[in-house]
Amino acid sequence: MEIPAPDTTKLIEQMVEPRNMWKALNRVRQNKGAPGVDNMTVDELPDYLKREWPSIKERIVKGTYKPKPVRRVEIPKPNGGTRMLGIPTVLDRMIQQAMHQVLSPVFDPDFSDSSFGFRPGRSAHQAVMQAREIIRSGRRWVVDIDLKQFFDEVNQDILMSRISRKIKDKTMNHLIREYLRSGIMIDGCVSQTIKGTPQGGPLSPLLSNIMLDLLDKELERRGQPFCRYADDCNIYVASQRAGERVMATITRFIEDRLRLKVNREKSAVARPWNRKFLGYTVTSHTEPKLRVAPKSIQKLQKNLKQRLRKGRGRNLSRLIREELNPLLTGWINYFRLSETKGFAETLDQWIRRRLRVILWRQWKRPWTRFKNLMKQGIEEGRAARSAFNQRGPWYNSGAWHMNIAFPKKFFDCMKLVSLLDTLRFVKISTQGTAVYGTVRTVV
């Protein structure tokens, strides 16, 4: 029995229903976030809605509502440079969230099974696992497509054409167009947007999936295995020659049909173990294994260095509890799928050495170092030689005396998250099952 297509002629009425709006409001409040151009905070929004919602609702239903411009901010990219991010007002974030809640059930069922980004019930972990299985099937070359400034280059006419094919509510389509053209405020001046979709609003991920669904359908038509997460797309082929052919034809399709730009400097045809996908890469074994990409490890170390520099004068236990553990827990929870664990042991040793550096610096004077080494059970003569050796903190943090005085057991007692112990726990808890749940911290 064929499932009837959902009625999309009255989506505006569905959007402004109290239950949908309350859900959107709660979601925005949970996400918090910075204020937009009107400086209204998330906490101020409920009181504002009590006064103004009837008139706002009327304007939305009549099609006369005008969103405010987004506030443009720059955030650093992991590989250098900056990414432009648009921050809508909290009111517009709530309206966009309400729109997303009624539009997603219309579009999502028809999206590709190989699309994983910003979709209910799908995750980056599923994308990484599928990529590994495709590589294991014999597709040991990857066409790594990088879209240049995707959110700034989206052709609004093509996007609205795709939307209007499914959405028959003209008021809803008009509201989407208004958000696309709401403009950007930079240094107090509003610049109108004739292309692109604001990156930072709740509606933006859905619009990006609608746009790139054209690419997904083209790859499916060709029978080409691929994995896509937002604008990060990897296509898998059996040979370099096939990869170069796919790269040429797909680049032509993206630039001619979608009017998007392919970053030729960052795109490549290569072995999967020489590229990264969502922070992961694979080994070059006959049966490839997932591992953490070197750049992901470098990014973590850079972040840890910044936090550890701030902690030189702080209590070590508090530094571990408030600064390090939240970061390490979130990081290893994401990279728990790694099937190689050498990186975790190396990182654990590096983190403990950095903490020993802090201790050595905090002691300052040789006599203080001598007394503290003695307290930790180091023999008097050895403690004296170590305390007065005139070597730097990094040398001493890796030397015998500091490793014996402050072994792994010491940091375990301080509840420092061990990446290696956490991965071992994951292996035990997931043995015999393909389900990956939330990782419990092992200390």
Side-chain angles (χ1 to χ4, degrees):
M1 181 178 176
E2 187 176 344
I3 300 175
D7 182 13
T8 62
T9 59
K10 299 180 180 179
L11 288 181
I12 281 290
E13 285 83 350
Q14 295 179 31
M15 188 197 88
V16 296
E17 285 180 353
R19 183 180 298 178
N20 188 59
M21 296 308 302
W22 272 111
K23 183 179 177 182
L25 174 61
N26 289 333
R27 185 67 180 269
V28 169
R29 294 177 73 180
Q30 288 171 7
N31 293 340
K32 298 182 179 179
V37 296
D38 60 356
N39 292 320
M40 185 189 298
T41 65
V42 174
D43 294 332
E44 294 170 338
L45 181 59
D47 289 336
Y48 175 80
L49 291 174
K50 288 178 183 178
R51 301 190 308 268
E52 303 294 336
W53 176 244
S55 64
I56 295 170
K57 177 181 176 181
E58 184 180 2
R59 279 180 281 150
I60 291 173
V61 173
K62 289 183 177 180
T64 60
Y65 179 79
K66 296 287 184 182
K68 286 184 171 62
V70 299
R71 181 165 65 88
R72 178 58 62 95
V73 295
E74 295 183 1
I75 58 174
K77 289 184 178 180
N79 55 353
T82 58
R83 175 182 287 111
M84 305 303 286
L85 188 69
I87 302 179
T89 64
V90 290
L91 173 62
D92 285 326
R93 292 210 294 271
M94 184 192 72
I95 295 172
Q96 285 192 36
Q97 179 62 38
M99 294 168 70
H100 185 283
Q101 288 163 188
V102 297
L103 291 173
S104 183
V106 176
F107 287 99
D108 191 80
D110 292 333
F111 286 154
S112 169
D113 288 338
S114 296
S115 168
F116 295 91
F118 309 113
R119 297 181 60 192
R122 290 175 171 264
S123 66
H125 281 175
Q126 293 174 331
V128 169
M129 295 289 283
Q130 179 170 302
R132 184 196 65 177
E133 294 309 310
I134 295 173
I135 298 167
R136 285 183 174 181
S137 72
R139 306 267 178 165
R140 295 172 69 85
W141 286 87
V142 61
V143 181
D144 189 350
I145 301 286
D146 184 87
L147 298 179
K148 189 174 183 179
Q149 297 178 326
F150 168 72
F151 287 94
D152 293 330
E153 294 293 334
V154 168
N155 185 291
Q156 294 181 359
D157 292 332
I158 295 176
L159 175 59
M160 289 307 305
S161 173
R162 300 291 300 175
I163 292 172
S164 60
R165 291 184 184 185
K166 283 200 168 186
I167 305 302
K168 303 306 178 184
D169 187 331
K170 293 182 179 180
T171 309
M172 175 64 80
N173 289 338
H174 175 75
L175 185 58
I176 295 171
R177 175 74 81 169
E178 287 294 315
Y179 273 109
L180 291 174
R181 293 187 172 178
S182 60
I184 301 167
M185 181 171 285
I186 305 174
D187 297 328
C189 298
V190 178
S191 173
Q192 295 300 316
T193 49
I194 59 174
K195 65 176 181 177
T197 172
Q199 187 179 3
L203 193 59
S204 185
L206 177 62
L207 297 181
S208 69
N209 275 333
I210 293 171
M211 187 72 179
L212 290 175
D213 187 56
L214 275 168
L215 174 61
D216 299 344
K217 295 297 189 286
E218 175 65 14
L219 291 170
E220 288 179 339
R221 185 186 67 79
R222 298 182 182 193
Q224 201 75 58
F226 72 98
C227 290
R228 184 177 67 78
Y229 191 95
D231 59 337
D232 197 349
C233 183
N234 277 4
I235 307 164
Y236 297 92
V237 294
S239 68
Q240 184 177 8
R241 185 176 177 181
E244 290 170 350
R245 184 175 63 250
V246 169
M247 174 68 82
T249 57
I250 288 299
T251 297
R252 195 179 310 122
F253 175 84
I254 291 171
E255 295 184 340
D256 293 347
R257 287 285 305 279
L258 303 185
R259 305 288 176 86
L260 297 170
K261 295 179 180 179
V262 174
N263 191 330
R264 287 170 169 78
E265 293 180 359
K266 295 184 178 180
S267 300
V269 178
R271 293 292 196 178
W273 45 88
N274 293 327
R275 307 293 290 183
K276 71 180 180 72
F277 180 56
L278 301 177
Y280 283 88
T281 185
V282 294
T283 64
S284 57
H285 297 111
T286 304
E287 189 170 307
K289 296 180 179 180
L290 288 174
R291 68 185 183 95
V292 182
K295 286 186 177 180
S296 300
I297 295 173
Q298 293 166 11
K299 182 182 176 183
L300 173 67
Q301 288 179 310
K302 183 179 179 181
N303 201 338
L304 286 169
K305 282 181 182 179
Q306 293 173 348
R307 297 188 182 213
L308 289 167
R309 284 194 195 101
K310 296 176 183 177
R312 288 178 181 175
R314 293 176 58 183
N315 175 273
L316 197 65
S317 178
R318 186 176 176 184
L319 173 67
I320 290 171
R321 183 177 67 253
E322 296 181 359
E323 295 288 339
L324 301 190
N325 280 353
L327 174 62
L328 294 173
T329 301
W331 191 87
I332 198 60
N333 188 53
Y334 179 75
F335 287 108
R336 68 184 185 266
L337 299 186
S338 177
E339 296 167 287
T340 63
K341 296 176 174 57
F343 78 94
E345 184 175 9
T346 302
L347 275 173
D348 279 342
Q349 293 170 353
W350 181 85
I351 293 166
R352 290 195 292 268
R353 186 171 181 178
R354 286 278 171 181
L355 292 171
R356 293 186 191 107
V357 166
I358 292 177
L359 288 171
W360 191 262
R361 286 183 184 277
Q362 287 178 346
W363 292 343
K364 294 182 180 179
R365 300 175 183 275
W367 278 106
T368 306
R369 291 167 180 166
F370 170 70
K371 292 175 183 177
N372 281 312
L373 288 174
M374 289 279 291
K375 286 180 182 178
Q376 295 302 122
I378 303 298
E379 182 267 328
E380 183 178 356
R382 185 58 189 262
R385 290 194 300 274
S386 300
F388 289 89
N389 64 16
Q390 296 185 344
R391 299 269 193 165
W394 184 249
Y395 170 85
N396 280 284
S397 67
W400 178 89
H401 52 273
M402 286 297 282
N403 277 274
I404 294 299
F406 300 99
K408 179 180 182 296
K409 186 185 298 184
F410 171 83
F411 294 103
D412 286 345
C413 290
M414 298 191 81
K415 300 285 193 288
L416 175 66
V417 170
S418 168
L419 303 180
L420 182 60
D421 289 349
T422 304
L423 282 182
R424 284 173 175 165
F425 172 78
V426 172
K427 184 177 181 181
I428 294 170
S429 63
T430 59
Q431 196 169 20
T433 176
V435 177
Y436 292 85
T438 302
V439 173
R440 190 184 75 190
T441 303
V442 177
V443 295

PDB file of all heavy atoms in Angstrom, residues 394-419:
ATOM      1  N   TRP A 394      60.589  20.597  31.403  1.00  0.00           N
ATOM      2  CA  TRP A 394      60.217  19.516  30.485  1.00  0.00           C
ATOM      3  C   TRP A 394      61.118  18.301  30.665  1.00  0.00           C
ATOM      4  O   TRP A 394      60.660  17.166  30.659  1.00  0.00           O
ATOM      5  CB  TRP A 394      60.258  20.015  29.039  1.00  0.00           C
ATOM      6  CG  TRP A 394      59.787  18.986  28.044  1.00  0.00           C
ATOM      7  CD1 TRP A 394      60.538  18.336  27.119  1.00  0.00           C
ATOM      8  CD2 TRP A 394      58.456  18.479  27.893  1.00  0.00           C
ATOM      9  NE1 TRP A 394      59.782  17.450  26.400  1.00  0.00           N
ATOM     10  CE2 TRP A 394      58.488  17.520  26.855  1.00  0.00           C
ATOM     11  CE3 TRP A 394      57.246  18.737  28.539  1.00  0.00           C
ATOM     12  CZ2 TRP A 394      57.362  16.830  26.435  1.00  0.00           C
ATOM     13  CZ3 TRP A 394      56.111  18.033  28.136  1.00  0.00           C
ATOM     14  CH2 TRP A 394      56.175  17.103  27.098  1.00  0.00           C
ATOM     15  N   TYR A 395      62.419  18.539  30.829  1.00  0.00           N
ATOM     16  CA  TYR A 395      63.342  17.424  31.057  1.00  0.00           C
ATOM     17  C   TYR A 395      62.970  16.680  32.328  1.00  0.00           C
ATOM     18  O   TYR A 395      62.847  15.449  32.347  1.00  0.00           O
ATOM     19  CB  TYR A 395      64.787  17.932  31.144  1.00  0.00           C
ATOM     20  CG  TYR A 395      65.761  16.883  31.609  1.00  0.00           C
ATOM     21  CD1 TYR A 395      66.333  15.989  30.709  1.00  0.00           C
ATOM     22  CD2 TYR A 395      66.090  16.760  32.967  1.00  0.00           C
ATOM     23  CE1 TYR A 395      67.214  15.001  31.153  1.00  0.00           C
ATOM     24  CE2 TYR A 395      66.956  15.783  33.424  1.00  0.00           C
ATOM     25  CZ  TYR A 395      67.524  14.896  32.506  1.00  0.00           C
ATOM     26  OH  TYR A 395      68.381  13.921  32.940  1.00  0.00           O
ATOM     27  N   ASN A 396      62.784  17.432  33.407  1.00  0.00           N
ATOM     28  CA  ASN A 396      62.505  16.797  34.693  1.00  0.00           C
ATOM     29  C   ASN A 396      61.160  16.084  34.705  1.00  0.00           C
ATOM     30  O   ASN A 396      61.006  15.054  35.364  1.00  0.00           O
ATOM     31  CB  ASN A 396      62.562  17.850  35.806  1.00  0.00           C
ATOM     32  CG  ASN A 396      63.980  18.171  36.222  1.00  0.00           C
ATOM     33  OD1 ASN A 396      64.619  17.392  36.928  1.00  0.00           O
ATOM     34  ND2 ASN A 396      64.496  19.308  35.778  1.00  0.00           N
ATOM     35  N   SER A 397      60.181  16.620  33.970  1.00  0.00           N
ATOM     36  CA  SER A 397      58.857  15.982  33.954  1.00  0.00           C
ATOM     37  C   SER A 397      58.901  14.592  33.316  1.00  0.00           C
ATOM     38  O   SER A 397      58.038  13.749  33.604  1.00  0.00           O
ATOM     39  CB  SER A 397      57.861  16.862  33.191  1.00  0.00           C
ATOM     40  OG  SER A 397      58.206  16.928  31.814  1.00  0.00           O
ATOM     41  N   GLY A 398      59.887  14.348  32.477  1.00  0.00           N
ATOM     42  CA  GLY A 398      60.007  13.028  31.846  1.00  0.00           C
ATOM     43  C   GLY A 398      61.091  12.171  32.451  1.00  0.00           C
ATOM     44  O   GLY A 398      61.317  11.040  32.003  1.00  0.00           O
ATOM     45  N   ALA A 399      61.767  12.704  33.465  1.00  0.00           N
ATOM     46  CA  ALA A 399      62.871  11.971  34.089  1.00  0.00           C
ATOM     47  C   ALA A 399      62.355  10.924  35.078  1.00  0.00           C
ATOM     48  O   ALA A 399      61.199  10.947  35.505  1.00  0.00           O
ATOM     49  CB  ALA A 399      63.810  12.958  34.787  1.00  0.00           C
ATOM     50  N   TRP A 400      63.293  10.038  35.473  1.00  0.00           N
ATOM     51  CA  TRP A 400      62.943   8.915  36.343  1.00  0.00           C
ATOM     52  C   TRP A 400      62.302   9.374  37.638  1.00  0.00           C
ATOM     53  O   TRP A 400      61.306   8.808  38.092  1.00  0.00           O
ATOM     54  CB  TRP A 400      64.222   8.112  36.635  1.00  0.00           C
ATOM     55  CG  TRP A 400      64.023   6.954  37.559  1.00  0.00           C
ATOM     56  CD1 TRP A 400      63.690   5.681  37.230  1.00  0.00           C
ATOM     57  CD2 TRP A 400      64.162   6.978  38.987  1.00  0.00           C
ATOM     58  NE1 TRP A 400      63.606   4.896  38.358  1.00  0.00           N
ATOM     59  CE2 TRP A 400      63.887   5.679  39.448  1.00  0.00           C
ATOM     60  CE3 TRP A 400      64.467   7.981  39.917  1.00  0.00           C
ATOM     61  CZ2 TRP A 400      63.934   5.344  40.794  1.00  0.00           C
ATOM     62  CZ3 TRP A 400      64.514   7.645  41.262  1.00  0.00           C
ATOM     63  CH2 TRP A 400      64.247   6.332  41.694  1.00  0.00           C
ATOM     64  N   HIS A 401      62.876  10.421  38.259  1.00  0.00           N
ATOM     65  CA  HIS A 401      62.427  10.807  39.595  1.00  0.00           C
ATOM     66  C   HIS A 401      60.977  11.293  39.603  1.00  0.00           C
ATOM     67  O   HIS A 401      60.217  10.994  40.524  1.00  0.00           O
ATOM     68  CB  HIS A 401      63.345  11.888  40.195  1.00  0.00           C
ATOM     69  CG  HIS A 401      63.573  13.073  39.313  1.00  0.00           C
ATOM     70  ND1 HIS A 401      64.572  13.109  38.365  1.00  0.00           N
ATOM     71  CD2 HIS A 401      62.942  14.278  39.238  1.00  0.00           C
ATOM     72  CE1 HIS A 401      64.557  14.280  37.749  1.00  0.00           C
ATOM     73  NE2 HIS A 401      63.572  15.007  38.260  1.00  0.00           N
ATOM     74  N   MET A 402      60.556  12.027  38.575  1.00  0.00           N
ATOM     75  CA  MET A 402      59.163  12.514  38.529  1.00  0.00           C
ATOM     76  C   MET A 402      58.189  11.410  38.132  1.00  0.00           C
ATOM     77  O   MET A 402      57.041  11.389  38.580  1.00  0.00           O
ATOM     78  CB  MET A 402      59.042  13.699  37.582  1.00  0.00           C
ATOM     79  CG  MET A 402      59.629  14.997  38.121  1.00  0.00           C
ATOM     80  SD  MET A 402      58.783  15.599  39.607  1.00  0.00           S
ATOM     81  CE  MET A 402      57.311  16.332  38.892  1.00  0.00           C
ATOM     82  N   ASN A 403      58.647  10.469  37.311  1.00  0.00           N
ATOM     83  CA  ASN A 403      57.780   9.352  36.938  1.00  0.00           C
ATOM     84  C   ASN A 403      57.546   8.403  38.109  1.00  0.00           C
ATOM     85  O   ASN A 403      56.458   7.849  38.258  1.00  0.00           O
ATOM     86  CB  ASN A 403      58.387   8.590  35.764  1.00  0.00           C
ATOM     87  CG  ASN A 403      58.069   9.232  34.420  1.00  0.00           C
ATOM     88  OD1 ASN A 403      57.039   8.984  33.827  1.00  0.00           O
ATOM     89  ND2 ASN A 403      58.969  10.099  33.954  1.00  0.00           N
ATOM     90  N   ILE A 404      58.581   8.225  38.937  1.00  0.00           N
ATOM     91  CA  ILE A 404      58.428   7.373  40.113  1.00  0.00           C
ATOM     92  C   ILE A 404      57.609   8.086  41.192  1.00  0.00           C
ATOM     93  O   ILE A 404      56.764   7.493  41.856  1.00  0.00           O
ATOM     94  CB  ILE A 404      59.815   6.977  40.667  1.00  0.00           C
ATOM     95  CG1 ILE A 404      60.550   6.091  39.650  1.00  0.00           C
ATOM     96  CG2 ILE A 404      59.672   6.254  42.005  1.00  0.00           C
ATOM     97  CD1 ILE A 404      59.838   4.787  39.318  1.00  0.00           C
ATOM     98  N   ALA A 405      57.847   9.394  41.337  1.00  0.00           N
ATOM     99  CA  ALA A 405      57.128  10.164  42.368  1.00  0.00           C
ATOM    100  C   ALA A 405      55.658  10.330  42.021  1.00  0.00           C
ATOM    101  O   ALA A 405      54.790  10.311  42.915  1.00  0.00           O
ATOM    102  CB  ALA A 405      57.804  11.532  42.551  1.00  0.00           C
ATOM    103  N   PHE A 406      55.370  10.498  40.723  1.00  0.00           N
ATOM    104  CA  PHE A 406      53.987  10.739  40.288  1.00  0.00           C
ATOM    105  C   PHE A 406      53.632   9.788  39.134  1.00  0.00           C
ATOM    106  O   PHE A 406      53.569  10.183  37.968  1.00  0.00           O
ATOM    107  CB  PHE A 406      53.815  12.208  39.855  1.00  0.00           C
ATOM    108  CG  PHE A 406      54.110  13.182  40.950  1.00  0.00           C
ATOM    109  CD1 PHE A 406      55.340  13.815  41.020  1.00  0.00           C
ATOM    110  CD2 PHE A 406      53.172  13.445  41.939  1.00  0.00           C
ATOM    111  CE1 PHE A 406      55.624  14.708  42.037  1.00  0.00           C
ATOM    112  CE2 PHE A 406      53.451  14.339  42.965  1.00  0.00           C
ATOM    113  CZ  PHE A 406      54.682  14.964  43.021  1.00  0.00           C
ATOM    114  N   PRO A 407      53.408   8.530  39.458  1.00  0.00           N
ATOM    115  CA  PRO A 407      53.066   7.539  38.416  1.00  0.00           C
ATOM    116  C   PRO A 407      51.605   7.664  37.987  1.00  0.00           C
ATOM    117  O   PRO A 407      50.862   8.517  38.496  1.00  0.00           O
ATOM    118  CB  PRO A 407      53.320   6.211  39.124  1.00  0.00           C
ATOM    119  CG  PRO A 407      53.014   6.510  40.566  1.00  0.00           C
ATOM    120  CD  PRO A 407      53.453   7.927  40.795  1.00  0.00           C
ATOM    121  N   LYS A 408      51.206   6.805  37.094  1.00  0.00           N
ATOM    122  CA  LYS A 408      49.824   6.816  36.611  1.00  0.00           C
ATOM    123  C   LYS A 408      48.840   6.655  37.767  1.00  0.00           C
ATOM    124  O   LYS A 408      47.772   7.284  37.791  1.00  0.00           O
ATOM    125  CB  LYS A 408      49.613   5.696  35.588  1.00  0.00           C
ATOM    126  CG  LYS A 408      48.181   5.623  35.039  1.00  0.00           C
ATOM    127  CD  LYS A 408      48.049   4.493  34.038  1.00  0.00           C
ATOM    128  CE  LYS A 408      46.642   4.439  33.454  1.00  0.00           C
ATOM    129  NZ  LYS A 408      45.611   4.140  34.469  1.00  0.00           N
ATOM    130  N   LYS A 409      49.201   5.827  38.754  1.00  0.00           N
ATOM    131  CA  LYS A 409      48.310   5.592  39.893  1.00  0.00           C
ATOM    132  C   LYS A 409      47.971   6.892  40.619  1.00  0.00           C
ATOM    133  O   LYS A 409      46.849   7.093  41.087  1.00  0.00           O
ATOM    134  CB  LYS A 409      48.962   4.604  40.862  1.00  0.00           C
ATOM    135  CG  LYS A 409      48.076   4.169  42.006  1.00  0.00           C
ATOM    136  CD  LYS A 409      48.837   3.282  42.982  1.00  0.00           C
ATOM    137  CE  LYS A 409      49.321   2.005  42.333  1.00  0.00           C
ATOM    138  NZ  LYS A 409      49.988   1.103  43.326  1.00  0.00           N
ATOM    139  N   PHE A 410      48.954   7.797  40.714  1.00  0.00           N
ATOM    140  CA  PHE A 410      48.734   9.088  41.369  1.00  0.00           C
ATOM    141  C   PHE A 410      47.646   9.875  40.646  1.00  0.00           C
ATOM    142  O   PHE A 410      46.738  10.433  41.272  1.00  0.00           O
ATOM    143  CB  PHE A 410      50.050   9.884  41.391  1.00  0.00           C
ATOM    144  CG  PHE A 410      49.903  11.310  41.852  1.00  0.00           C
ATOM    145  CD1 PHE A 410      49.884  11.626  43.195  1.00  0.00           C
ATOM    146  CD2 PHE A 410      49.771  12.334  40.917  1.00  0.00           C
ATOM    147  CE1 PHE A 410      49.740  12.952  43.615  1.00  0.00           C
ATOM    148  CE2 PHE A 410      49.625  13.654  41.333  1.00  0.00           C
ATOM    149  CZ  PHE A 410      49.610  13.964  42.687  1.00  0.00           C
ATOM    150  N   PHE A 411      47.718   9.917  39.307  1.00  0.00           N
ATOM    151  CA  PHE A 411      46.740  10.685  38.535  1.00  0.00           C
ATOM    152  C   PHE A 411      45.394   9.972  38.479  1.00  0.00           C
ATOM    153  O   PHE A 411      44.350  10.619  38.362  1.00  0.00           O
ATOM    154  CB  PHE A 411      47.283  10.952  37.128  1.00  0.00           C
ATOM    155  CG  PHE A 411      48.480  11.860  37.124  1.00  0.00           C
ATOM    156  CD1 PHE A 411      49.761  11.343  36.941  1.00  0.00           C
ATOM    157  CD2 PHE A 411      48.341  13.215  37.348  1.00  0.00           C
ATOM    158  CE1 PHE A 411      50.875  12.176  36.964  1.00  0.00           C
ATOM    159  CE2 PHE A 411      49.450  14.057  37.379  1.00  0.00           C
ATOM    160  CZ  PHE A 411      50.716  13.527  37.180  1.00  0.00           C
ATOM    161  N   ASP A 412      45.414   8.635  38.578  1.00  0.00           N
ATOM    162  CA  ASP A 412      44.145   7.904  38.675  1.00  0.00           C
ATOM    163  C   ASP A 412      43.404   8.289  39.950  1.00  0.00           C
ATOM    164  O   ASP A 412      42.178   8.446  39.955  1.00  0.00           O
ATOM    165  CB  ASP A 412      44.397   6.394  38.665  1.00  0.00           C
ATOM    166  CG  ASP A 412      44.785   5.875  37.289  1.00  0.00           C
ATOM    167  OD1 ASP A 412      44.572   6.616  36.305  1.00  0.00           O
ATOM    168  OD2 ASP A 412      45.299   4.753  37.195  1.00  0.00           O
ATOM    169  N   CYS A 413      44.156   8.462  41.037  1.00  0.00           N
ATOM    170  CA  CYS A 413      43.537   8.863  42.305  1.00  0.00           C
ATOM    171  C   CYS A 413      42.965  10.272  42.228  1.00  0.00           C
ATOM    172  O   CYS A 413      42.026  10.606  42.959  1.00  0.00           O
ATOM    173  CB  CYS A 413      44.565   8.780  43.433  1.00  0.00           C
ATOM    174  SG  CYS A 413      45.040   7.082  43.857  1.00  0.00           S
ATOM    175  N   MET A 414      43.529  11.095  41.323  1.00  0.00           N
ATOM    176  CA  MET A 414      43.016  12.461  41.131  1.00  0.00           C
ATOM    177  C   MET A 414      41.877  12.480  40.111  1.00  0.00           C
ATOM    178  O   MET A 414      41.409  13.541  39.719  1.00  0.00           O
ATOM    179  CB  MET A 414      44.142  13.388  40.674  1.00  0.00           C
ATOM    180  CG  MET A 414      45.269  13.515  41.682  1.00  0.00           C
ATOM    181  SD  MET A 414      46.439  14.835  41.279  1.00  0.00           S
ATOM    182  CE  MET A 414      45.547  16.253  41.894  1.00  0.00           C
ATOM    183  N   LYS A 415      41.446  11.306  39.661  1.00  0.00           N
ATOM    184  CA  LYS A 415      40.314  11.144  38.745  1.00  0.00           C
ATOM    185  C   LYS A 415      40.597  11.696  37.338  1.00  0.00           C
ATOM    186  O   LYS A 415      39.670  12.100  36.628  1.00  0.00           O
ATOM    187  CB  LYS A 415      39.045  11.820  39.304  1.00  0.00           C
ATOM    188  CG  LYS A 415      38.591  11.277  40.647  1.00  0.00           C
ATOM    189  CD  LYS A 415      37.933   9.918  40.496  1.00  0.00           C
ATOM    190  CE  LYS A 415      37.192   9.509  41.757  1.00  0.00           C
ATOM    191  NZ  LYS A 415      38.051   9.153  42.864  1.00  0.00           N
ATOM    192  N   LEU A 416      41.867  11.702  36.941  1.00  0.00           N
ATOM    193  CA  LEU A 416      42.197  12.111  35.575  1.00  0.00           C
ATOM    194  C   LEU A 416      41.692  11.062  34.593  1.00  0.00           C
ATOM    195  O   LEU A 416      41.963   9.865  34.753  1.00  0.00           O
ATOM    196  CB  LEU A 416      43.712  12.278  35.415  1.00  0.00           C
ATOM    197  CG  LEU A 416      44.211  12.583  33.993  1.00  0.00           C
ATOM    198  CD1 LEU A 416      43.723  13.951  33.519  1.00  0.00           C
ATOM    199  CD2 LEU A 416      45.737  12.500  33.928  1.00  0.00           C
ATOM    200  N   VAL A 417      40.941  11.489  33.570  1.00  0.00           N
ATOM    201  CA  VAL A 417      40.429  10.562  32.564  1.00  0.00           C
ATOM    202  C   VAL A 417      41.592   9.953  31.790  1.00  0.00           C
ATOM    203  O   VAL A 417      42.461  10.667  31.282  1.00  0.00           O
ATOM    204  CB  VAL A 417      39.479  11.290  31.588  1.00  0.00           C
ATOM    205  CG1 VAL A 417      39.133  10.391  30.400  1.00  0.00           C
ATOM    206  CG2 VAL A 417      38.207  11.704  32.306  1.00  0.00           C
ATOM    207  N   SER A 418      41.628   8.630  31.727  1.00  0.00           N
ATOM    208  CA  SER A 418      42.624   7.916  30.931  1.00  0.00           C
ATOM    209  C   SER A 418      41.991   7.513  29.606  1.00  0.00           C
ATOM    210  O   SER A 418      40.998   6.777  29.577  1.00  0.00           O
ATOM    211  CB  SER A 418      43.125   6.671  31.675  1.00  0.00           C
ATOM    212  OG  SER A 418      43.866   5.842  30.801  1.00  0.00           O
ATOM    213  N   LEU A 419      42.552   7.990  28.514  1.00  0.00           N
ATOM    214  CA  LEU A 419      42.004   7.669  27.193  1.00  0.00           C
ATOM    215  C   LEU A 419      42.114   6.179  26.907  1.00  0.00           C
ATOM    216  O   LEU A 419      41.190   5.572  26.361  1.00  0.00           O
ATOM    217  CB  LEU A 419      42.736   8.475  26.124  1.00  0.00           C
ATOM    218  CG  LEU A 419      42.724  10.005  26.288  1.00  0.00           C
ATOM    219  CD1 LEU A 419      43.499  10.668  25.157  1.00  0.00           C
ATOM    220  CD2 LEU A 419      41.301  10.537  26.316  1.00  0.00           C
TER     221      LEU A 419
END
